[in-house]
């Protein structure tokens, strides 16, 4: 698969790159919030655009030909820095940080003005995006990794902009399919529920079987 | 409901504001893409950050206290300029532009590096976000407007980054519920299917009944 890149970088250099990626994306996230909420007039907009375009030109001096892809280090760690919801280098991503416990996975994230749908509320589709990623990563860490087969979200009540919590757990694994359920809550109240089925892609089935065999062998 | 703002602006001023909003958000969209794909080193990152922070400071000279909300003009037109997927003033939004025909609604949109999930592919959650908005707007324009009750997405195949097309139509309306189905396709092939149920919120039921009565009266 193109875009899956094996790239061995020593830990110190990797930490440095990670910090650079987070710092520039963090500055752009602030700018996004300021753009959604700005009330300044034409002259200020023009001046801000000149600065933004100058910054873009600097960043374009050396660019990847396409998207970031997924990169693996020799120690097996995976980098999804360009990911639309997790990516530390992607200013569109809050970014969501996932935590994997033994029985479940969770995240807590602050969603500001850029994630609005209905007035003052988180866009229902943004919650679906977070749930897709959270449930998919739960499948990967606690079941069998896979692409989303189906995702169903039931919205029980409105989710105000601000801090939300997501939680997910594997319900069951059936061969190449992992069934995961999850919730979004806001102020301690569940506002959305989801079910997802994640399916190990055909091209990865040999590879993952190898990994599973090796893990068992090493265990 | 807070954040739903009646705001009467004359058409010329509105067109001017719309253009300003699109221009600044467009510059930030370019910057987002450059950020995800940049390979420049520390000194360039530092210089770009200084420019971005200067731009943010200018835009923060006059800010909305919170999110953009939803604004209505006296002619009944609605502005969702802050919306996470439609908002012309929101750099996170591509933005998706929806078109409503007599029997269906559709959109075509180019999704770049910032919308990646699996390597080289559109994030499944981004497709869910687009489908939530597309199906919800279809309910609003061709059925009864409503908040998402449930959304189910079935992913049939991978969707490469690039141009996608979304289409949706109302299946049926049952009182306050509108049932909508839709698809995402890429290179002429359907890669995801969705079903959504959209429910008119209780607080809006009186209002919408009034509007429906008036429309009938005026028809």
């Amino acid at each position: 698969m193109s875009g899956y890149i094996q790239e061995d970088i020593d830990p110190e250099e990797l930490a440095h790159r990670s910090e650079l990626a987070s710092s520039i994306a963090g500055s752009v996230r602030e700018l996004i919030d300021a753009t959604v909420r700005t009330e300044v007039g034409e002259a200020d907009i023009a001046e801000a655009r000149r600065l933004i375009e100058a910054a873009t030109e600097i960043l374009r001096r050396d660019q990847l030909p396409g998207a970031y892809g997924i990169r693996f280090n020799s120690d097996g760690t995976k980098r999804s820095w360009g990911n639309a919801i997790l990516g530390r280098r992607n200013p569109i991503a809050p970014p969501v940080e996932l935590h994997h416990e033994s029985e479940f996975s969770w995240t807590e994230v602050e969603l500001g003005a850029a994630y609005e749908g209905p007035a003052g509320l988180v866009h229902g589709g943004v919650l679906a995006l977070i749930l897709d990623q959270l449930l998919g990563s739960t499948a990967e860490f606690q079941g069998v990794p896979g692409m989303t087969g189906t995702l169903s979200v039931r919205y029980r009540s409105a989710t105000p902009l601000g801090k939300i919590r997501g939680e997910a757990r594997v319900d069951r694994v059936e061969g190449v399919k992992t069934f995961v359920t999850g919730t979004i809550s806001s102020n301690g109240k569940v506002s959305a529920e989801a079910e997802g089925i994640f399916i190990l892609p055909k091209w990865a089935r040999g590879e993952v079987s190898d990994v599973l065999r090796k893990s068992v062998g090493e265990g």
Side-chain angles (χ1 to χ4, degrees), chain A:
Chain A
M1 292 289 284
S2 72
Y4 288 87
I5 298 159
Q6 178 75 28
E7 193 185 48
D8 295 336
I9 303 173
D10 80 73
E12 202 176 321
E13 171 63 15
L14 195 57
H16 176 65
R17 287 199 199 177
S18 168
E19 200 190 302
L20 273 187
S22 296
S23 77
I24 183 75
S27 296
V28 181
R29 284 181 194 112
E30 272 294 307
L31 176 66
I32 289 169
D33 183 80
T35 301
V36 177
R37 294 170 50 208
T38 197
E39 292 280 83
V40 301
E42 196 164 357
D44 283 334
I45 292 283
E47 178 57 13
R49 287 187 68 200
R50 269 191 294 274
L51 293 163
I52 293 163
E53 281 156 22
T56 301
E57 214 176 290
I58 292 171
L59 298 177
R60 291 246 191 257
R61 283 179 188 156
D62 190 4
Q63 290 268 283
L64 295 169
Y68 184 83
I70 309 241
R71 295 165 193 237
F72 295 91
N73 229 19
S74 53
D75 60 5
T77 54
K78 188 173 92 167
R79 274 166 287 144
S80 306
W81 291 0
N83 184 289
I85 191 75
L86 301 174
R88 70 188 60 185
R89 184 160 137 168
N90 187 341
I92 282 186
V96 160
E97 282 180 44
L98 300 175
H99 306 275
H100 302 287
E101 312 293 347
S102 60
E103 295 283 315
F104 67 105
S105 300
W106 62 277
T107 185
E108 283 188 1
V109 61
E110 185 78 30
L111 299 173
Y115 301 97
E116 188 178 42
L121 306 178
V122 180
H123 197 297
V126 169
L127 297 177
L129 167 53
I130 292 172
L131 285 161
D132 177 59
Q133 183 66 54
L134 171 63
L135 272 60
S137 294
T138 302
E140 181 176 350
F141 280 82
Q142 320 220 4
V144 170
M147 306 270 281
T148 317
T150 62
L151 178 73
S152 299
V153 184
R154 192 160 77 87
Y155 298 88
R156 289 166 52 157
S157 56
T159 306
L161 289 171
K163 198 166 106 174
I164 62 154
R165 181 180 168 88
E167 265 191 45
R169 62 193 71 229
V170 169
D171 183 65
R172 65 193 189 279
V173 177
E174 293 177 3
V176 296
K177 289 188 187 176
T178 302
F179 296 76
V180 186
T181 59
T183 55
I184 296 285
S185 44
S186 160
N187 302 314
K189 185 181 151 195
V190 171
S191 57
E193 295 171 323
E195 285 180 354
I197 305 174
F198 298 87
I199 304 167
L200 182 65
K202 283 202 182 79
W203 60 265
R205 285 176 197 177
E207 253 171 78
V208 171
S209 307
D210 288 351
V211 172
L212 291 174
R213 260 196 302 276
K214 264 189 227 167
S215 305
V216 171
E218 282 159 9

